[in-house]
Amino acid sequence: MSADSKKTFKPKARVAKGFRDVGPDEIRGLRAMLATIQGVYESYGFEPVEQPFVEYTEALGKFLPDQDRPNAGVFSFQDDESDLSPYRADQWLSLRYDLTAPLARYVAENAQKLPTPFRSYRQGWVFRNEKPGPGRYRQFMQFDADTVGSANPAADAEVCMMAADTMEALGIARGDYVMKVNSRKILDGFTEKFEIGDEVKLTWLRALDKLDRLGEQGVALLLGAGRKDESGDFTKGAGLTEKQIKASLAFATATKLDTEFVSGSKNGEEGLADLQAMQDMFDASGYATDRIRYDSSVVRGLEYYTGPVFECELLMETTDEDGKLVRFGSVGGGGRYDDLVARFTGQQVPATGFSIGVSRLYSALEHLKKNKASDTLAPVVVLVMDKERQGDYWKMVQQLRKADVRAEMYVGTAGMKAQMKYADKRNAPLVIIQGGEEKAQGQVMIKDLRRGSELASEIASHEEYASQRLAQFAVAEGEMVEAVKKAL
């Protein structure tokens, strides 16, 4: 690049692919939603904890999409290029892929100082170096709660009940959501009993996971020879026998625990016992099947979970701005992961947890008008009519703030017309005006921009609009604060 071209180069103002900017309304809405979730988690006795955005790549381990290429699936970089001969695995650093692997590292590193079981929650951004798509970003937020150090099914049941309570605290009515529960041990037990080999087990699990979307007929095709979709693309099936397919569909559509599917399998019978213990706790605590229920089609984390798995699904439907049907589906999930901490310690440490997809849940609450965003108004703007009197305007702002009114003094250099445009862009509810005439009379002028907009829409002609001073009134300087609070 020549010296001249360097001088003229201008970077294009654009957000990176797969990322997005977030505005003030969404930020406030998210804060309100997160505060509600936190309140439920705190009421259950869970404690907040945070881990850094960056971990040694080896700490994320086998749960990366590709161990041989540390930058596949995650955003990675080398810690110290001068100290890479011979290559040291711990020199690779990665942005965290989820919140669970960092928690496992934290527990392994601080095991002697932590209570057992260790009950904690955390929220934060995670990053995935994957192909972005509609609604699928490379940076998104999760809110997790985990119990580490207990093999008791009560810990799994508690997480499910807490998730159900969270949905209702957010305003989602009973019957509009459900916590669906299954067990990886039951899935393993079924494949053992019906002799579904390891070479097709992954295909079998993925087929069951598509039951809601494809129905029994579509899943049957995927369990058999394969399925061609509407575009003509063919997906090879698991190649099961008719007997295996029939049993798999009966299993996937079962609505209650049944020993028929896993009898004779140690894994399956253990999974059944775990879920029965959880069900007993749900029954004793008043969590009926309209809130938490068994669903054998729930398949999560094929290389991750070791026992009960659960998923929170929103059941209601709505329409978007174009009138198209919107189904929200899963807004969170989790399960038991007893092997994760063992990667660091060599000893199995039982753990279970639940993760909320914050963006998906927030979007659902927005559609349902259930978002309890704070009622924070944009600030009242005090206009600067006389630059030599900025100290006076600043005192007005201070008086308003002391009365718990959001307020700001215009700090630009433009005239009144531009200041009014600024206040309008800020969505300011009111502006305070005090020119020389008002000052001489010991008054301030308060202009209600919201009321002015309403009145303007009712006036037919520009002349009529110009002849009126819409929603504007004068008050004594000493009465300004009370008049503002009344107008708000």
Short mmCIF file of all heavy atoms in Angstrom, two decimals, residues 285-313:
data_model
loop_
_atom_site.label_atom_id
_atom_site.label_comp_id
_atom_site.label_asym_id
_atom_site.label_seq_id
_atom_site.Cartn_x
_atom_site.Cartn_y
_atom_site.Cartn_z
N SER A 285 -43.74 -32.00 45.99
CA SER A 285 -43.60 -30.54 46.02
C SER A 285 -44.69 -29.82 45.24
O SER A 285 -44.67 -28.59 45.15
CB SER A 285 -42.22 -30.15 45.46
OG SER A 285 -41.19 -30.80 46.18
N GLY A 286 -45.61 -30.56 44.63
CA GLY A 286 -46.73 -29.93 43.93
C GLY A 286 -46.44 -29.50 42.51
O GLY A 286 -47.14 -28.63 41.97
N TYR A 287 -45.43 -30.11 41.88
CA TYR A 287 -45.11 -29.77 40.49
C TYR A 287 -45.72 -30.85 39.59
O TYR A 287 -45.13 -31.89 39.35
CB TYR A 287 -43.60 -29.68 40.28
CG TYR A 287 -42.98 -28.46 40.94
CD1 TYR A 287 -42.76 -28.44 42.32
CD2 TYR A 287 -42.65 -27.34 40.20
CE1 TYR A 287 -42.22 -27.32 42.94
CE2 TYR A 287 -42.10 -26.21 40.81
CZ TYR A 287 -41.90 -26.21 42.18
OH TYR A 287 -41.36 -25.10 42.79
N ALA A 288 -46.92 -30.54 39.08
CA ALA A 288 -47.66 -31.51 38.27
C ALA A 288 -47.11 -31.55 36.85
O ALA A 288 -46.21 -30.78 36.47
CB ALA A 288 -49.14 -31.16 38.26
N THR A 289 -47.68 -32.44 36.05
CA THR A 289 -47.19 -32.63 34.68
C THR A 289 -47.45 -31.43 33.78
O THR A 289 -46.92 -31.38 32.67
CB THR A 289 -47.82 -33.89 34.05
OG1 THR A 289 -49.25 -33.79 34.13
CG2 THR A 289 -47.35 -35.15 34.76
N ASP A 290 -48.28 -30.49 34.21
CA ASP A 290 -48.44 -29.27 33.41
C ASP A 290 -47.24 -28.34 33.58
O ASP A 290 -47.13 -27.34 32.86
CB ASP A 290 -49.73 -28.53 33.78
CG ASP A 290 -49.75 -28.06 35.23
OD1 ASP A 290 -48.98 -28.61 36.05
OD2 ASP A 290 -50.54 -27.15 35.53
N ARG A 291 -46.32 -28.70 34.50
CA ARG A 291 -45.11 -27.91 34.71
C ARG A 291 -43.85 -28.70 34.37
O ARG A 291 -42.96 -28.19 33.70
CB ARG A 291 -45.02 -27.42 36.17
CG ARG A 291 -46.23 -26.62 36.62
CD ARG A 291 -46.03 -26.08 38.02
NE ARG A 291 -45.09 -24.97 38.03
CZ ARG A 291 -44.61 -24.40 39.14
NH1 ARG A 291 -44.97 -24.88 40.33
NH2 ARG A 291 -43.77 -23.41 39.07
N ILE A 292 -43.77 -29.93 34.86
CA ILE A 292 -42.60 -30.78 34.62
C ILE A 292 -43.11 -32.17 34.25
O ILE A 292 -43.94 -32.74 34.98
CB ILE A 292 -41.70 -30.88 35.87
CG1 ILE A 292 -41.31 -29.50 36.38
CG2 ILE A 292 -40.45 -31.69 35.56
CD1 ILE A 292 -40.55 -29.51 37.71
N ARG A 293 -42.61 -32.73 33.16
CA ARG A 293 -43.06 -34.06 32.78
C ARG A 293 -41.97 -34.82 32.02
O ARG A 293 -41.08 -34.22 31.42
CB ARG A 293 -44.33 -33.99 31.93
CG ARG A 293 -44.18 -33.33 30.57
CD ARG A 293 -45.44 -33.54 29.73
NE ARG A 293 -45.36 -32.89 28.43
CZ ARG A 293 -46.02 -31.79 28.10
NH1 ARG A 293 -46.81 -31.21 28.99
NH2 ARG A 293 -45.89 -31.28 26.89
N TYR A 294 -42.10 -36.12 32.06
CA TYR A 294 -41.18 -37.00 31.34
C TYR A 294 -41.43 -36.89 29.84
O TYR A 294 -42.57 -36.84 29.38
CB TYR A 294 -41.39 -38.43 31.80
CG TYR A 294 -40.69 -39.47 30.96
CD1 TYR A 294 -39.30 -39.59 30.99
CD2 TYR A 294 -41.42 -40.34 30.14
CE1 TYR A 294 -38.66 -40.54 30.22
CE2 TYR A 294 -40.79 -41.29 29.38
CZ TYR A 294 -39.40 -41.39 29.41
OH TYR A 294 -38.77 -42.34 28.65
N ASP A 295 -40.35 -36.83 29.06
CA ASP A 295 -40.45 -36.80 27.60
C ASP A 295 -39.24 -37.53 27.04
O ASP A 295 -38.11 -37.04 27.09
CB ASP A 295 -40.49 -35.36 27.08
CG ASP A 295 -40.82 -35.27 25.60
OD1 ASP A 295 -40.31 -36.11 24.83
OD2 ASP A 295 -41.57 -34.36 25.20
N SER A 296 -39.48 -38.72 26.50
CA SER A 296 -38.38 -39.57 26.06
C SER A 296 -37.68 -39.06 24.80
O SER A 296 -36.63 -39.57 24.42
CB SER A 296 -38.88 -41.00 25.80
OG SER A 296 -39.95 -40.98 24.87
N SER A 297 -38.25 -38.04 24.15
CA SER A 297 -37.63 -37.52 22.93
C SER A 297 -36.56 -36.46 23.23
O SER A 297 -35.88 -36.00 22.32
CB SER A 297 -38.69 -36.91 22.00
OG SER A 297 -39.24 -35.73 22.56
N VAL A 298 -36.41 -36.08 24.50
CA VAL A 298 -35.40 -35.07 24.85
C VAL A 298 -34.01 -35.68 24.73
O VAL A 298 -33.68 -36.66 25.40
CB VAL A 298 -35.62 -34.53 26.28
CG1 VAL A 298 -34.49 -33.58 26.66
CG2 VAL A 298 -36.96 -33.83 26.37
N VAL A 299 -33.21 -35.11 23.84
CA VAL A 299 -31.83 -35.57 23.60
C VAL A 299 -30.93 -34.34 23.66
O VAL A 299 -31.11 -33.41 22.90
CB VAL A 299 -31.70 -36.26 22.23
CG1 VAL A 299 -30.26 -36.70 22.00
CG2 VAL A 299 -32.64 -37.45 22.12
N ARG A 300 -29.98 -34.35 24.56
CA ARG A 300 -29.09 -33.19 24.71
C ARG A 300 -27.65 -33.66 24.88
O ARG A 300 -27.41 -34.71 25.46
CB ARG A 300 -29.48 -32.34 25.93
CG ARG A 300 -30.85 -31.69 25.83
CD ARG A 300 -31.08 -30.76 27.00
NE ARG A 300 -30.07 -29.71 27.04
CZ ARG A 300 -30.15 -28.58 26.32
NH1 ARG A 300 -31.16 -28.37 25.51
NH2 ARG A 300 -29.20 -27.67 26.41
N GLY A 301 -26.71 -32.85 24.40
CA GLY A 301 -25.29 -33.03 24.68
C GLY A 301 -24.81 -34.45 24.56
O GLY A 301 -24.46 -35.08 25.57
N LEU A 302 -24.75 -34.95 23.34
CA LEU A 302 -24.46 -36.36 23.14
C LEU A 302 -23.12 -36.79 23.75
O LEU A 302 -22.95 -37.94 24.11
CB LEU A 302 -24.48 -36.67 21.63
CG LEU A 302 -25.79 -36.28 20.93
CD1 LEU A 302 -25.71 -36.60 19.45
CD2 LEU A 302 -26.97 -36.96 21.57
N GLU A 303 -22.15 -35.87 23.82
CA GLU A 303 -20.84 -36.21 24.39
C GLU A 303 -20.65 -35.53 25.75
O GLU A 303 -19.52 -35.43 26.23
CB GLU A 303 -19.72 -35.76 23.44
CG GLU A 303 -19.73 -36.47 22.10
CD GLU A 303 -19.41 -37.94 22.24
OE1 GLU A 303 -18.67 -38.29 23.17
OE2 GLU A 303 -19.92 -38.74 21.45
N TYR A 304 -21.72 -35.09 26.36
CA TYR A 304 -21.61 -34.17 27.48
C TYR A 304 -22.31 -34.69 28.73
O TYR A 304 -21.73 -34.81 29.80
CB TYR A 304 -22.22 -32.84 27.04
CG TYR A 304 -21.84 -31.62 27.81
CD1 TYR A 304 -20.78 -30.82 27.40
CD2 TYR A 304 -22.55 -31.25 28.94
CE1 TYR A 304 -20.45 -29.67 28.10
CE2 TYR A 304 -22.23 -30.10 29.64
CZ TYR A 304 -21.18 -29.32 29.22
OH TYR A 304 -20.84 -28.18 29.91
N TYR A 305 -23.59 -35.02 28.59
CA TYR A 305 -24.40 -35.38 29.76
C TYR A 305 -24.31 -36.88 30.06
O TYR A 305 -24.16 -37.70 29.17
CB TYR A 305 -25.86 -34.97 29.54
CG TYR A 305 -26.02 -33.47 29.47
CD1 TYR A 305 -26.41 -32.84 28.30
CD2 TYR A 305 -25.77 -32.67 30.59
CE1 TYR A 305 -26.55 -31.46 28.23
CE2 TYR A 305 -25.90 -31.29 30.53
CZ TYR A 305 -26.29 -30.69 29.35
OH TYR A 305 -26.43 -29.32 29.29
N THR A 306 -24.44 -37.20 31.35
CA THR A 306 -24.25 -38.58 31.80
C THR A 306 -25.47 -39.17 32.50
O THR A 306 -25.46 -40.35 32.83
CB THR A 306 -23.06 -38.63 32.79
OG1 THR A 306 -23.36 -37.76 33.91
CG2 THR A 306 -21.77 -38.19 32.13
N GLY A 307 -26.51 -38.37 32.75
CA GLY A 307 -27.68 -38.84 33.48
C GLY A 307 -28.92 -38.10 33.04
O GLY A 307 -29.18 -37.97 31.84
N PRO A 308 -29.72 -37.60 33.99
CA PRO A 308 -30.93 -36.86 33.63
C PRO A 308 -30.60 -35.67 32.73
O PRO A 308 -29.58 -34.99 32.91
CB PRO A 308 -31.47 -36.39 34.98
CG PRO A 308 -30.96 -37.39 35.97
CD PRO A 308 -29.60 -37.76 35.46
N VAL A 309 -31.47 -35.45 31.77
CA VAL A 309 -31.37 -34.26 30.89
C VAL A 309 -32.73 -33.60 30.88
O VAL A 309 -33.76 -34.28 31.01
CB VAL A 309 -30.93 -34.63 29.46
CG1 VAL A 309 -29.47 -35.03 29.41
CG2 VAL A 309 -31.80 -35.73 28.86
N PHE A 310 -32.75 -32.28 30.74
CA PHE A 310 -34.01 -31.57 30.76
C PHE A 310 -33.97 -30.37 29.83
O PHE A 310 -32.91 -29.83 29.50
CB PHE A 310 -34.40 -31.11 32.18
CG PHE A 310 -33.27 -31.08 33.16
CD1 PHE A 310 -32.48 -29.96 33.30
CD2 PHE A 310 -32.99 -32.20 33.94
CE1 PHE A 310 -31.45 -29.92 34.22
CE2 PHE A 310 -31.95 -32.18 34.86
CZ PHE A 310 -31.17 -31.05 35.00
N GLU A 311 -35.15 -29.98 29.41
CA GLU A 311 -35.29 -28.89 28.44
C GLU A 311 -36.55 -28.10 28.78
O GLU A 311 -37.61 -28.69 29.05
CB GLU A 311 -35.39 -29.47 27.04
CG GLU A 311 -35.24 -28.45 25.93
CD GLU A 311 -34.88 -29.13 24.62
OE1 GLU A 311 -33.68 -29.30 24.35
OE2 GLU A 311 -35.82 -29.52 23.90
N CYS A 312 -36.43 -26.79 28.76
CA CYS A 312 -37.57 -25.92 29.02
C CYS A 312 -38.12 -25.43 27.68
O CYS A 312 -37.40 -24.78 26.91
CB CYS A 312 -37.17 -24.73 29.88
SG CYS A 312 -38.57 -23.66 30.29
N GLU A 313 -39.38 -25.74 27.41
CA GLU A 313 -39.98 -25.38 26.13
C GLU A 313 -41.18 -24.47 26.35
O GLU A 313 -42.01 -24.72 27.25
CB GLU A 313 -40.43 -26.65 25.40
CG GLU A 313 -41.03 -26.37 24.03
CD GLU A 313 -41.43 -27.64 23.31
OE1 GLU A 313 -40.97 -28.73 23.72
OE2 GLU A 313 -42.19 -27.55 22.33
#
